[in-house]
Amino acid sequence: MTPAPGGPLPSAPALALPPPDLDRLPGLTRRLAARAAEHDRDATFPTEGFTLVHDAGLLTATVAVRYGGSGAGLADTVRILRALGAGDPAVALVTAMTLFAHAAQARTPGWPPAAYRALLAESAAGPALVNALRVEPELGSPVRGGLPATTARRAGDHWLLTGHKIYSTGAVGLSRMLVFARTDEDPVRVGTFVVRAGSPGVTVEPTWDHVGLRASRSDDVLFDDVRVPVADVIGLATPGAVPGARPDAVTGAWNALGLTALYLGVASAARDWLIGFLHERVPTALGAPLAGLPRFQTAVGEIETALTGADTLVDALAARVDAGDEQAAAQAGMAKVTGTRAAVTAVEQALALTGNHGLTRANPLQRHYRDVLCSRVHTPQDDSVLVAAGRAALDRAPARTSAPKGTHP
């Protein structure tokens, strides 16, 4: 039996998904931060961090009520990711991908019912991480066009999936990999194939050696004739009709605002460390903490003003997206540019104020800086947002047929 769109899963078991407890966020931030430096230094996956997030009910916060979840919206998701980002942005990033996957299913059901039911059952028992694997060595990101080289060919009641994905965030700890691939049919179709981690033919290559978000383990994943049940595909269609290649406005808004909140969380951690440093640092020539000097007060005021403005913008747009405001969804990309620039600039300013102290590995500020720089690589990237915003603004302006007398064009 196939469920009606948006309906409950057939024969769904009574799930006991842990309810999200947002009151635990401050303590969770502190507990994640306690081991963030260790995982960054060793580039190790923060498995225990996801147990903490799961136990607080946050990994499944966006599961729809009809599936036994709490149905958290974007506003709550932004709040969650900001707090996790301040603790350990690697944990926050993989959590974000998992929350986005459940939120997309809540809005537009596309998972095969049995496959999603199995994921929910696993999520009730412990952390079940999900991420979309889309980027390839030759293709780059599919949002900029092009077909994936990863290919699925039909073999009876299964697909055989073969290909190579890069920058696969959380690869070593994922429960489900949502693999964007093409078929070998004529005409070709593309879609998202649901692959269980650990399936025969799946190999995670430990290639991730990044400056920032080292603990995210965004490694390469190789697929060699991986068997996927023929029904376990989301959105299989001809390329021109595939929403997965270029996400719809609401999906794009979740991605843009959620990830911006994450990096604003990183910047807030940098600000908090800076404030503590300025209170503790007492130069002998001054005989008082640096926090008492107007120059440092003004600089911290600039950081605080920028972060507060960016946080407020993200929160306001997230609430409007939850309310169905299409204009807010369309503005999310511009908010990402504004918010991530504020986050990067804030940490850069903190480094300028602290000098060698901020760049010392024993202090977390250098880690926050390396992590916050990763905000620039996420879709939508600045150039795409700015071109679209500029064109839209120019299209709204009436064209002049001739220049006024006495002026030059």
Side-chain angles (χ1 to χ4, degrees):
M1 180 177 65
T2 301
L9 296 174
S11 305
L15 296 174
L17 295 176
D21 187 353
L22 301 185
D23 291 338
R24 294 172 62 177
L25 286 174
L28 190 55
T29 298
R30 291 190 295 271
R31 295 184 69 181
L32 292 176
R35 294 195 62 183
E38 169 194 344
H39 286 299
D40 171 80
R41 181 187 65 246
D42 300 333
T44 49
F45 195 64
T47 302
E48 80 291 337
F50 295 104
T51 299
L52 295 173
V53 176
H54 170 268
D55 290 346
L58 303 180
L59 273 177
T60 51
T62 56
V63 173
V65 173
R66 64 181 178 272
Y67 299 144
S70 62
L74 182 53
D76 282 340
T77 300
V78 160
R79 182 179 170 188
I80 291 168
L81 295 178
R82 184 184 290 118
L84 300 185
D88 186 337
V91 173
L93 184 58
V94 184
T95 297
M97 299 303 117
T98 302
L99 290 174
F100 295 167
H102 287 302
Q105 174 69 11
R107 292 192 306 277
T108 309
W111 279 66
Y116 194 61
R117 184 165 57 243
L119 174 64
L120 292 180
E122 187 176 328
S123 300
L129 305 176
V130 184
N131 195 8
L133 277 54
R134 299 164 57 81
V135 186
E136 297 181 351
E138 294 81 14
L139 174 67
S141 173
V143 298
R144 291 183 182 266
L147 290 174
T150 301
T151 303
R153 60 184 176 86
R154 185 72 177 266
D157 60 353
H158 282 75
W159 296 100
L160 297 179
L161 191 68
T162 299
H164 180 188
K165 296 294 183 179
I166 62 176
Y167 304 142
S168 305
T169 299
V172 296
L174 297 178
S175 169
R176 301 294 190 280
M177 300 176 176
L178 306 182
V179 183
F180 189 60
R182 64 190 295 173
T183 66
D184 66 346
E185 303 164 317
D186 185 15
V188 65
R189 292 186 293 169
V190 292
T192 299
F193 293 75
V194 181
V195 177
R196 287 177 178 260
S199 296
V202 176
T203 302
V204 177
E205 292 283 355
T207 55
W208 185 245
D209 187 18
H210 218 48
V211 170
L213 281 170
R214 290 170 50 76
S216 70
R217 298 308 316 166
S218 300
D219 294 311
D220 289 16
V221 182
L222 306 179
F223 301 90
D224 183 11
D225 277 351
V226 177
R227 289 170 62 86
V228 179
V230 71
D232 283 5
V233 189
I234 301 170
L236 189 61
T238 56
V242 178
R246 291 185 176 87
D248 62 273
V250 174
T251 298
W254 272 74
N255 183 78
L257 297 178
L259 295 183
T260 300
L262 185 163
Y263 289 105
L264 286 169
V266 175
S268 73
R271 173 205 59 206
D272 292 347
W273 183 86
L274 170 65
I275 289 172
F277 172 83
L278 294 177
H279 278 293
E280 295 167 2
R281 179 69 174 161
V282 182
T284 55
L286 181 62
L290 292 176
L293 294 179
R295 177 172 78 88
F296 288 99
Q297 293 169 351
T298 299
V300 172
E302 289 182 355
I303 292 172
E304 188 72 6
T305 297
L307 294 183
T308 298
D311 280 333
T312 302
L313 173 62
V314 169
D315 288 342
L317 286 179
R320 287 170 55 191
V321 170
D322 284 342
D325 188 332
E326 294 181 359
Q327 186 178 23
Q331 293 171 343
M334 290 183 283
K336 178 180 180 288
V337 172
T338 300
T340 55
R341 286 183 175 181
V344 171
T345 300
V347 186
E348 287 177 338
Q349 289 174 314
L351 282 172
L353 290 172
T354 57
N356 280 330
H357 300 283
L359 291 173
T360 300
R361 285 193 179 273
N363 294 325
L365 192 55
Q366 50 78 27
R367 170 167 50 88
H368 297 323
Y369 184 56
R370 290 185 286 106
D371 287 341
V372 81
L373 289 177
C374 295
S375 65
R376 293 171 171 163
V377 305
H378 294 293
T379 302
Q381 294 171 344
D382 286 10
D383 63 323
S384 297
V385 174
L386 296 176
V387 166
R391 286 176 176 169
L394 291 168
D395 288 345
R396 289 196 302 269
R400 292 183 178 179
T401 56
S402 61
K405 291 183 178 180
T407 64
H408 297 284

